[in-house]
């Protein structure tokens, strides 16, 4: 539920100065070495042909990556709210109306509490951002234990999403968002409360729970996008937090690829040169969450990006029936 608030025009907190006291500079971190182009001794014409082919391959890969990321276009004008579907089913419309009302209500409260404290607000929101994914996993795990359904790909994708939110949280902590006890208390209390709400909603209607998460993730995208536009010049001068460098640059990116269900694995590799890049990456992560939550509202539409099997819900139901 990251970023359920609007970015303020407040200046960057003092704790984020380029060399804040008590913060170790991220430049000393061991960054994974960049892949170097192998040195090959070939004739001039063959080398020219090889380089041209390589350039064409890179261009094609970049084109495919951009085309598979429609939400990136929304950076110029991110949607403020999820529109009601054209679905004729009054139940669907009722669910969506309730979700939009609830999201707007939560946004209003958070705007009131965190008007001028962006990083504290981001910390609170990233703390509870993992909760719906944990709730979805809990329910799916329970159903699988009882033999009612088997959705391994959903569990895998939701776990990857929760780990992504966890790293957003680490970044906000490093930026000082958790320095006040009241923010830590509010975040943790809200997370416990939200867990049971999310479990209940998911059991009642997975479609409704996924739509609520889509509302929240869409607003998260919008929030970070506004924050970047308001504070972009200052963020460009600030160093990236250690947690961001470790997550986006140094760690095994299998789980990072896992939650990006609309693109091929390894097709998105963010850069982390400064704090601006970090917030661009977080914003784009939220866009991926949004797309996945929207897709989840259609049963059987989500598959792990690493999955090679042609597996559908129908197949799974058949396999469970055969086991009986
Ligand atoms: Fe997040
Ligand atoms: Fe998110």
């Amino acid at each position: 539920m990251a970023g359920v608030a609007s970015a303020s025009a407040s200046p960057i907190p003092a704790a984020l100065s380029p060399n804040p006291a008590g913060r170790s500079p991220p430049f000393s971190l061991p960054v994974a070495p960049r892949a170097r182009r192998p040195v090959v001794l070939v004739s001039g014409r063959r080398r020219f042909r090889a380089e041209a082919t390589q350039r064409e391959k890179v261009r094609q890969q970049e084109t495919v990556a951009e085309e598979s990321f429609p939400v990136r276009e929304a950076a110029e004008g991110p949607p403020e709210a999820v529109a009601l579907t054209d679905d004729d089913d009054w139940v669907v419309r009722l669910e969506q109306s309730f979700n939009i009302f609830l999201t707007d209500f939560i946004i209003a409260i958070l705007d009131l509490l965190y008007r001028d404290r962006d990083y504290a607000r981001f910390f609170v929101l990233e703390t509870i951002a993992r909760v719906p994914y944990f709730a979805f996993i809990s329910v799916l795990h329970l159903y699988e234990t009882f033999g009612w359904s088997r959705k391994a790909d959903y569990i895998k994708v939701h776990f990857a999403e929760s780990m992504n939110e966890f790293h957003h949280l680490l970044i906000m902590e490093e930026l000082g968002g958790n320095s006040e006890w009241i923010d830590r208390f509010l975040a943790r209390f809200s997370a416990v409360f939200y867990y049971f709400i999310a479990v209940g909603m998911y059991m009642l209607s997975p479609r409704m729970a996924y739509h609520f998460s889509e509302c929240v993730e869409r607003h998260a995208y919008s929030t970070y996008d506004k924050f970047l536009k308001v504070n972009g010049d200052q963020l460009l001068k600030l160093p990236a937090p250690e947690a961001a460098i470790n997550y986006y640059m140094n760690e095994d990116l299998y789980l990072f690829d896992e939650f990006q269900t609309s693109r091929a694995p390894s097709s998105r590799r963010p850069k982390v040169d400064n704090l601006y890049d970090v917030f661009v990456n977080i914003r784009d992560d939220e866009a991926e969450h949004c797309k996945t939550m929207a897709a989840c509202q259609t049963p059987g539409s989500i598959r792990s990006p690493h999955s090679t099997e042609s597996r559908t819900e129908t197949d799974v139901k058949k396999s469970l029936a055969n086991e009986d």
Side-chain angles (χ1 to χ4, degrees):
M1 183 169 168
V4 186
S6 61
S8 74
S10 63
I12 302 288
L16 285 175
S17 62
N19 290 301
R23 288 181 70 227
S24 57
F27 309 109
S28 60
L29 288 171
V31 179
R34 305 270 188 185
R36 291 189 177 181
R37 184 178 295 177
V39 177
V40 182
L41 296 176
V42 291
S43 69
R45 185 175 295 180
R46 280 178 58 201
R47 187 176 61 195
F48 177 78
R49 272 206 305 268
E51 288 180 350
T53 306
Q54 183 63 23
R55 279 198 299 273
E56 179 61 18
K57 277 184 182 173
V58 169
R59 190 188 65 76
Q60 286 174 352
Q61 285 170 352
E62 287 174 347
T63 303
V64 169
E66 286 302 315
E67 285 175 351
S68 67
F69 192 50
V71 179
R72 182 178 290 279
E73 295 164 9
E76 296 304 316
E80 291 297 328
V82 182
L84 277 177
T85 179
D86 295 332
D87 201 311
D88 290 335
D89 190 336
W90 67 270
V91 177
V92 176
R93 294 181 69 82
L94 185 66
E95 288 175 357
Q96 296 188 354
S97 299
F98 178 80
N99 286 340
I100 292 169
F101 169 78
L102 187 59
T103 309
D104 289 344
F105 180 70
I106 294 169
I107 290 167
I109 291 176
L110 291 170
D111 280 349
L112 198 66
L113 293 175
Y114 293 100
R115 188 184 302 274
D116 299 320
R117 300 174 59 224
D118 289 316
Y119 292 102
R121 177 172 56 210
F122 295 158
F123 164 75
V124 171
L125 297 166
E126 294 295 351
T127 299
I128 55 181
R130 301 155 64 199
V131 169
Y133 300 118
F134 177 45
F136 301 158
I137 292 169
S138 301
V139 175
L140 292 172
H141 195 289
L142 182 71
Y143 289 170
E144 188 175 314
T145 302
F146 288 163
W148 294 345
S149 71
R150 182 169 293 160
K151 292 185 175 178
D153 279 19
Y154 279 69
I155 291 177
K156 203 174 165 194
V157 169
H158 292 332
F159 177 72
E161 288 167 319
S162 75
M163 287 304 289
N164 178 250
E165 300 288 18
F166 168 67
H167 285 88
H168 292 176
L169 176 63
L170 291 182
I171 293 166
M172 298 313 161
E173 287 179 352
E174 199 173 329
L175 292 173
N178 64 338
S179 55
E180 301 288 334
W181 74 267
I182 186 66
D183 299 324
R184 296 194 297 274
F185 173 79
L186 185 66
R188 289 159 191 172
F189 178 79
S190 304
V192 173
F193 183 71
Y194 185 37
Y195 171 76
F196 290 103
I197 296 286
V199 165
M201 189 185 283
Y202 196 61
M203 284 181 152
L204 193 68
S205 168
R207 178 187 59 209
M208 182 179 181
Y210 283 133
H211 180 263
F212 181 63
S213 285
E214 183 196 348
C215 292
V216 169
E217 296 292 359
R218 191 175 294 271
H219 190 77
Y221 173 88
S222 173
T223 298
Y224 285 121
D225 193 56
K226 285 179 187 169
F227 180 72
L228 282 162
K229 284 174 179 163
V230 172
N231 301 291
D233 290 342
Q234 290 162 291
L235 295 172
L236 280 167
K237 298 171 192 164
L238 296 171
E242 211 172 298
I245 296 171
N246 286 337
Y247 179 55
Y248 290 108
M249 303 294 289
N250 289 353
E251 292 186 358
D252 180 352
L253 292 173
Y254 181 89
L255 279 177
F256 179 76
D257 289 333
E258 182 64 28
F259 74 83
Q260 320 214 21
T261 53
S262 62
R263 57 167 74 237
S266 307
S267 63
R268 182 178 164 223
R269 287 291 176 263
K271 62 169 185 165
V272 185
D273 291 338
N274 48 49
L275 194 54
Y276 183 88
D277 290 343
V278 173
F279 276 95
V280 166
N281 297 340
I282 293 173
R283 180 200 67 182
D284 292 350
D285 289 348
E286 306 299 358
E288 294 294 336
H289 299 165
C290 184
K291 283 189 287 184
T292 304
M293 290 300 98
C296 281
Q297 291 164 51
T298 303
S301 59
I302 289 298
R303 189 170 301 152
S304 159
H306 293 100
S307 174
T308 53
E309 294 178 59
S310 178
R311 210 166 34 189
T312 65
E313 275 192 87
T314 310
D315 295 333
V316 173
K317 280 178 184 167
K318 279 180 186 170
S319 71
L320 287 171
N322 291 336
E323 285 173 14
D324 296 339

